[in-house]
């Protein structure tokens, strides 16, 4: 019998999330991603000005924490956080095939992201002028 976890094994996925929202929002996001993307990994970039973040999910073997001195400005670009998370993952030899930019307040509503990602590979590139 194939279970949802087998059918939608998301172990190739690594979600990058800049953390600057309320703790409750981040907690909900983490639980949501793990629920709809079984066996995935999550890297959280904890904003240096985000006071009081509680690493209550540290029991997850696939949840990682990255904290740097990058200054966050509300409403500005979050790419530097994702780049920092990517570098952290490479430097710490985390195994992944797909690095996914996420917001700390987005939610999944169904299983199957891994199947979509494998079928419709997309990417991002920064152009320097």
């Amino acid at each position: 019998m194939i279970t949802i976890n087998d059918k939608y094994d998301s172990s190739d996925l690594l979600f990058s999330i800049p953390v600057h929202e309320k703790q409750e929002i981040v907690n909900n996001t983490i639980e949501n991603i793990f629920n709809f993307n079984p066996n995935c990994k999550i890297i959280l970039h904890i904003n240096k000005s985000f006071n009081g973040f509680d690493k209550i999910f540290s029991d997850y073997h696939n949840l990682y924490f990255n904290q740097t001195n990058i200054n966050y400005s509300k409403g500005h670009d979050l790419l530097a956080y994702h780049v920092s998370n990517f570098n952290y993952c490479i430097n710490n030899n985390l195994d992944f095939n797909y690095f996914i930019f996420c917001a700390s307040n987005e939610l999944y509503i169904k299983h199957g992201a891994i199947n979509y990602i494998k079928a419709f590979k997309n990417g991002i590139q920064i152009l320097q002028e």
Side-chain angles (χ1 to χ4, degrees):
M1 172 181 225
I2 295 177
T3 67
I4 285 180
N5 286 350
D6 295 332
K7 188 175 179 183
Y8 301 115
D9 181 10
S10 301
S11 58
D12 285 343
L13 303 182
L14 194 154
F15 292 87
S16 173
I17 305 173
V19 173
H20 55 271
E21 299 279 356
K22 294 179 181 177
Q23 177 80 42
E24 182 180 357
I25 293 171
V26 176
N27 295 350
N28 291 340
T29 302
I30 292 168
E31 287 296 318
N32 174 265
I33 290 173
F34 281 142
N35 180 54
F36 286 102
N37 300 280
N39 303 316
C40 73
K41 297 167 191 76
I42 299 174
I43 176 77
L44 301 177
H45 186 282
I46 312 299
N47 181 354
K48 76 176 190 174
S49 64
F50 190 77
N51 295 324
F53 185 80
D54 181 14
K55 296 180 181 179
I56 61 171
F57 291 103
S58 61
D59 289 340
Y60 283 110
H61 70 282
N62 48 354
L63 178 64
Y64 304 91
F65 301 91
N66 178 25
Q67 188 164 13
T68 63
N69 290 324
I70 300 171
N71 289 319
Y72 172 73
S73 299
K74 188 173 183 172
H76 287 88
D77 188 10
L78 298 177
L79 183 60
Y81 295 103
H82 293 296
V83 170
S84 177
N85 278 349
F86 184 84
N87 287 332
Y88 176 94
C89 295
I90 295 299
N91 292 333
N92 287 282
N93 298 313
L94 298 185
D95 186 32
F96 65 95
N97 289 322
Y98 303 100
F99 188 81
I100 301 161
F101 292 13
C102 269
S104 58
N105 59 0
E106 68 183 68
L107 297 175
Y108 283 81
I109 58 170
K110 64 181 183 177
H111 292 91
I114 184 64
N115 298 331
Y116 183 84
I117 290 167
K118 285 182 176 182
F120 302 101
K121 294 177 182 159
N122 292 300
I124 186 169
Q125 178 179 350
I126 299 173
L127 301 175
Q128 300 277 338
E129 289 188 31

